[in-house]
Structure formats: structure tokens, C-alpha cells
Amino acid sequence: MMKLSKKNAARQSAIHRAIASGKTLGGLLVGLTAATVVGGCKEASPSRTQGSYPRSQQQANATNEDTEEFVTGGAIAEPEPEPTQVKPNAVRERQDKEIVLGGKPLPPSAPPLPQDQYRVKGGDTLTKIAKTHGTTVAELKRLNGFDDVRANKLIAGEIIKVPQSKTNAVREVQGKDFLLRGEPLAPPSQSNAVNEDRSKTPSVKGKFPSKK
Amino acid sequence: MTLELTAKCNFRCPYCYCVWHEYPALAKPELDAAGWMTVLDKCAADGVDDILFTGGEALLRHDLFDILGYARRVLPKARLSLFTNAGRLDETLIKKFKRRKIHLATSLQGLQTYGAMTGTRRSYKRLLAVVARASELKWPIAVSMTVTKANIHEAADMFVAAALSGASTIQVGPVILAGRAAACQELMISHDEWEEVKQRIRALPDAHVPYTFCDEFICFCRSDTPKALLEKWGDKNHKPCPAGKDFGVIGPNGLYRTCLHSLPKEV
């Protein structure tokens, strides 16, 4: 178990006791507020409670320092219902919904792949991939362990196994990858043939099976 | 930008929204450290200033600190955060994260229901102790809570426990229909129940912790969601997933998605 200071250990014990006894923990918060007020501890300023999210570490620390006064003498203050001194927790609610933000989305990246792998592109089907790689649909299903349902659920960008390239066509599809690795491009004639072939393949977009 | 460093996880939360539970191919093969460093280079080049590292459970990566160290070098001014289930988080790690200025976030899945909600035999006590210790070390942890049918009765208590333990911020939301939750819809609470939870938390005495509610039950980034489910869960929140705006996710295999719950372009 994590070693805690006496204050926090007492606080944790109070939480565990309340849970074990089936009590709600809201009373501990009343105790916290009451202890804070009775002890004359400075309450959090509005700027601390209503700043923009995510707040800075300094603010976080400041708030925690406020709550250090929760336990006095190692004992949890008993709940003292004092409605006039207790602020509803609603004042702490933040209106902005995004917890982690910032930065521009990156474009999809395509790291170079070995020749026995293939990154699925929009409009691809197993039949088409098999044809491009000079193999059969059954072989692709066997290599990737696909059943019939999974074979119809190709996702653009996923990487599937293919037999070692029997034609040079795969190089055309991933030409940029090969360029990055300094390897020669496929001859233009074959590249065009592949592109022409792809253009004839009807897109299956919109026929993606619904999730069950 | 969120980087899902791994799909591996030591918890088995039944409502986990990670999309590879539906489409395992999205998780493999996982990028190695060099791959993530390339991604971080791109982030730096594109001016990303806020990165969340998550998973799966990112702490299961043996090269995590290589990646985080590199991130800090190439993005010296960015806000870097790590979301962890805290199962492996201890004082030593908290200090390491503090030295590198990596902010921490975790999730409190329940109190008495913690074991059931994480699919483990663990207790909430350790998690709260970790949160409390981090607070003592002046590196407090943000806590998120997912409200389910199983833990809704103790949702307010979870909030209080997190607040009393020294959480820096608290985020509360219902189960989102994605990942494992897509096959476990009985854990999803209704809109009315969610409103009740919000009221209960709002009505609590001041917890001295900033908090936020995430109202989304369903991600409209997903075009594969059946219409019936959209109508059932989306009728009161007809708005795009907030994550889809100024946001992006790189999955374990390096694929880009618009949000945590969405898929790459379907074919």
C-alpha cells in the first residue's frame, strides 16, 4: 500500500470506513467545508474555481493546499449541516467539454511496409487485392485468418498479409514508400495498368456491414 | 492529439471504448519506439502543443520513457499528459513523470464495484492512495469516472472519494457506445439516469475540485452505428463528438483517426 502522510491516511481511512458502513460520502465533504470555514482557512477564490480548463499545475497545487485543512488533529471533522456556509458543488462545473485538446490533426501517415504486407486502401476488396498480388482470395483469407464475415470487413488503412510480391504491381501502389527507401519505381507501363484496373473496380463504400 | 501507444491492457473494463475490441486489426502491428518518435516528429512539425499518451495501458510499454523523453525533447513547450489505469503507477513513477512534466490522468471505475468494473480483483483503495500520494508530491492526478448501470448507485461517492483524495480535476461521463460497450449495452445508463447523476453531483457540497461532465452517449463520428442505436442514445445530444474537432488520434498501429471512438475510413 502506498505510504501516505498522516493527514491523507486519516482521510483515506474515513473514506474506507464510510464505504464499508454503507454511508454516503457526501457527509465528508460537508465536514471538509465546515472544517475549512470553522478553522478560518481561506476559501478558494472565484478565479481559482472558474478558470479555463485545463488549469495549471500551480492552480491544482493551490487547491490541494486548501484542502489540507480538512483533517485537524488526525480526525475527520463530523458532518455539520450548515446550509448557509456550504456552497453547492455546481459552482465548480466547467462548461468546456474537451479534456485534452490542441494541435492540428496529422494527415494519415503511411510508413514503408515489407513486401509481404499491404495497406488496404479505399475501394479495395479481397478479390482486387488478390488479383493485384497474383494470388487468390482463399490464399489471402488463409494468410490472415479471415473468415467470410471478416473478409467483407476490410478497413482502409489496416495492414494485411499478402504473399511475397509475384508482380511488380504492388510497387506502384506503394510507390512513395519505395521512393522513401531509395528503391526503384515500377516501370510506368505496369503502374498505369494497375491504376486503370483499379478505376474499373466499383467502390464498395457504403456497403460496409453494420456493427452488431 | 492522442497517441494510443499500445492496445495491451492489464484491466478488462467491460465498457472500454477502445475500437480495437470491435476491429482487432486496428491494433496490429503496434508501432515500436522508433515509429512513435517519427509520429512525434510530425507532431512537432505540425505545431501540436497538447499530446495525450494513452492505450490500452501505456505503462505496459517497456520503452515508455524513451518515447516520453523524446516527446519532451522535440516538444519542449507542449503539454504532455499520460492516461493510465494506475494499476502499475507508484511513487517512483509519479516522481519520474513529475521530473519530465508529464501530467497524469486516471480513471476511477467504481468503489465497491471497482473489481467488477475493471475485470480484476483489485480494490479502489490502491487507486485512491495513488491519487492521494500524487497530490502529496505536488503532482496531482486528474480523475475520470464512467457511470454505468453497475456503479450508478455510488457515482456521487466516487466523485467525493476522488475529490477527497486530491484529484486535480474530475471528469464524469456515461458509457460511450464503442469498443466493448458496443457488445455490452446493458451497462449503459439512460439519459434520465445521467441527468440524475449530474444533479446529485451538482448538489454535493463544494468539493474544491474543478469538474466537467461529458454528455456524449454515442459518437457521431461513427458512420457504422446502426440507426436504431443512434435514435436510442443520440436523441438528446444531436451534436458531433467533441473529440472530432481540433483533435486527432494515432492508433497503436500508427493509423490516424478523427476521434477515440471512430474508425479509419471504411471500405
Side-chain angles (χ1 to χ4, degrees):
Chain A
M1 186 60 75
M2 196 79 60
K3 190 177 180 182
L4 296 174
S5 68
K6 284 185 179 177
K7 284 182 181 179
N8 269 329
R11 199 177 295 179
Q12 292 292 310
S13 297
I15 293 171
H16 303 333
R17 278 200 305 273
I19 292 169
S21 61
K23 293 179 183 173
T24 59
L25 299 186
L28 297 181
L29 279 181
V30 177
L32 166 66
T33 309
T36 302
V37 173
V38 171
C41 182
K42 183 184 176 185
E43 282 201 58
S45 66
S47 62
R48 196 176 289 164
T49 60
Q50 295 169 8
S52 62
Y53 189 90
R55 64 184 186 153
S56 70
Q57 200 63 46
Q58 287 78 12
Q59 287 174 311
N61 291 339
T63 303
N64 288 324
E65 283 161 12
D66 289 341
T67 60
E68 290 299 319
E69 295 302 319
F70 171 52
V71 178
T72 51
I76 302 293
E78 285 300 314
E80 294 178 27
E82 295 182 47
T84 55
Q85 294 179 338
V86 178
K87 287 182 180 178
N89 199 31
V91 299
R92 301 271 172 178
E93 183 183 351
R94 316 300 294 260
Q95 296 305 313
D96 45 345
K97 301 293 182 185
E98 301 174 17
I99 194 160
V100 181
L101 301 174
K104 301 173 186 173
L106 283 177
S109 59
L113 292 176
Q115 286 187 26
D116 61 346
Q117 292 181 0
Y118 174 74
R119 193 184 300 275
V120 178
K121 299 185 186 314
D124 274 349
T125 62
L126 268 194
T127 307
K128 185 179 173 191
I129 296 168
K131 191 175 176 183
T132 308
H133 290 82
T135 184
T136 62
V137 172
E139 175 69 3
L140 285 180
K141 285 162 74 174
R142 187 189 65 77
L143 272 175
N144 292 280
F146 288 168
D147 55 19
D148 288 339
V149 176
R150 180 65 180 84
N152 288 320
K153 279 192 174 182
L154 287 183
I155 298 169
E158 77 169 299
I159 297 169
I160 63 171
K161 292 177 188 169
V162 293
Q164 281 288 342
S165 174
K166 292 179 181 175
T167 71
N168 208 24
V170 65
R171 291 181 182 270
E172 175 61 19
V173 175
Q174 300 181 347
K176 286 182 181 176
D177 295 343
F178 291 112
L179 263 184
L180 289 173
R181 286 188 285 175
E183 295 180 18
L185 282 173
S189 58
Q190 290 188 23
S191 304
N192 291 337
V194 171
N195 289 334
E196 189 178 301
D197 187 35
R198 289 187 72 195
S199 67
K200 290 176 184 172
T201 307
S203 169
V204 294
K205 188 178 178 184
K207 295 180 181 176
F208 190 76
S210 298
K211 180 179 48 146
K212 290 180 182 177
Chain B
M1 179 63 68
T2 295
L3 308 186
E4 294 171 329
L5 295 182
T6 180
K8 297 185 184 75
C9 189
N10 48 348
F11 282 19
R12 294 289 178 272
C13 307
Y15 54 82
C16 178
Y17 58 71
C18 295
V19 292
W20 50 80
H21 297 309
E22 295 173 88
Y23 302 98
L26 294 178
K28 294 177 181 177
E30 291 192 357
L31 290 186
D32 57 9
W36 284 116
M37 288 172 187
T38 305
V39 170
L40 288 165
D41 285 336
K42 288 195 174 196
C43 289
D46 283 7
V48 174
D49 59 1
D50 195 338
I51 293 183
L52 172 67
F53 298 95
T54 179
E57 171 53 25
L59 285 180
L60 294 182
R61 278 196 78 113
H62 67 280
D63 52 5
L64 175 64
F65 281 95
D66 296 337
I67 296 169
L68 295 182
Y70 187 81
R72 186 43 82 203
R73 281 203 299 279
V74 298
L75 294 155
K77 293 182 180 177
R79 179 187 170 87
L80 303 180
S81 315
L82 177 90
F83 196 98
T84 170
N85 59 34
R88 291 192 169 194
L89 194 58
D90 58 16
E91 182 169 339
T92 308
L93 284 175
I94 293 169
K95 287 177 178 172
K96 286 177 82 170
F97 287 122
K98 184 180 180 182
R99 278 200 298 275
R100 290 164 175 79
K101 292 186 170 61
I102 310 286
H103 298 267
L104 294 171
T106 189
S107 53
L108 176 61
Q109 293 93 334
L111 294 173
Q112 289 171 320
T113 57
Y114 186 81
M117 289 293 95
T118 58
T120 67
R121 293 183 177 183
R122 293 170 183 267
S123 163
Y124 71 93
K125 292 180 182 178
R126 186 182 183 281
L127 182 102
L128 291 186
V130 168
V131 173
R133 185 63 186 138
S135 176
E136 286 177 358
L137 294 169
K138 304 298 181 193
W139 201 245
I141 300 177
V143 173
S144 75
M145 299 165 29
T146 303
V147 182
T148 70
K149 281 278 188 191
N151 67 15
I152 189 170
H153 63 284
E154 56 183 12
D157 287 344
M158 289 159 60
F159 183 93
V160 176
L164 290 179
S165 298
S168 62
T169 57
I170 301 177
Q171 183 189 28
V172 191
V175 178
I176 291 181
L177 188 68
R180 283 204 190 105
C184 199
Q185 290 173 36
E186 61 270 20
L187 277 177
M188 292 183 72
I189 59 174
S190 68
H191 287 283
D192 290 341
E193 287 170 326
W194 172 235
E195 290 302 321
E196 193 183 323
V197 167
K198 290 201 294 187
Q199 288 308 316
R200 283 192 346 232
I201 290 175
R202 283 174 180 149
L204 287 171
D206 188 353
H208 291 262
V209 178
Y211 67 93
T212 184
F213 292 125
C214 292
D215 289 318
E216 283 68 39
F217 286 71
I218 199 160
C219 176
F220 286 89
C221 302
R222 293 281 293 261
S223 58
D224 64 332
T225 306
K227 192 178 176 183
L229 292 178
L230 280 175
E231 287 172 354
K232 181 176 180 184
W233 297 109
D235 57 346
K236 291 186 180 176
N237 291 296
H238 279 300
K239 53 188 176 184
C241 172
K245 185 184 175 186
D246 298 331
F247 192 83
V249 180
I250 306 287
N253 61 356
L255 283 184
Y256 173 82
R257 309 197 308 275
T258 53
C259 86
L260 288 164
H261 325 109
S262 65
L263 304 173
K265 186 184 174 189
E266 299 152 359
V267 293

